[in-house]
Amino acid sequence: QLHFPLARLTEPVVTRLVTEFDLEPNILRADVDKASGGWLIVELKGDDARINSATDWLRAQNLVVQEME
């Protein structure tokens, strides 16, 4: 699950998961509000090392990443 603060809401984060990390994101659920931010539940398919790199990058972008089983 990704939590987006309002300041990061308009950035193409999911697109960058594809273009920079060669991952296949599958958005399973989302709640986005342009007044307060939002969250996405995203399944990431791809190489484990790339998923780990992408997760590190997301956290460096001040997004909250919560891994779900």
Side-chain angles (χ1 to χ4, degrees), residues 36-67:
S36 62
W39 54 266
L40 300 174
I41 296 177
V42 181
E43 176 185 32
L44 295 176
K45 294 181 182 178
D47 180 72
D48 286 343
R50 290 179 187 204
I51 291 172
N52 290 335
S53 293
T55 301
D56 291 342
W57 175 79
L58 291 165
R59 289 186 172 120
Q61 303 306 304
N62 295 319
L63 301 179
V64 176
V65 178
Q66 181 180 9
E67 294 185 36

Side-chain angles (χ1 to χ4, degrees), residues 3-10 30-40:
H3 293 267
F4 290 80
L6 183 58
R8 309 298 281 198
L9 197 58
T10 61
D31 184 13
V32 179
D33 185 312
K34 63 182 175 181
S36 62
W39 54 266
L40 300 174

Side-chain angles (χ1 to χ4, degrees), residues 6-46:
L6 183 58
R8 309 298 281 198
L9 197 58
T10 61
E11 296 181 19
V13 173
V14 174
T15 299
R16 290 186 70 181
L17 294 175
V18 174
T19 60
E20 292 187 25
F21 298 97
D22 196 30
L23 297 176
E24 294 179 32
N26 182 18
I27 299 172
L28 302 173
R29 194 165 184 190
D31 184 13
V32 179
D33 185 312
K34 63 182 175 181
S36 62
W39 54 266
L40 300 174
I41 296 177
V42 181
E43 176 185 32
L44 295 176
K45 294 181 182 178

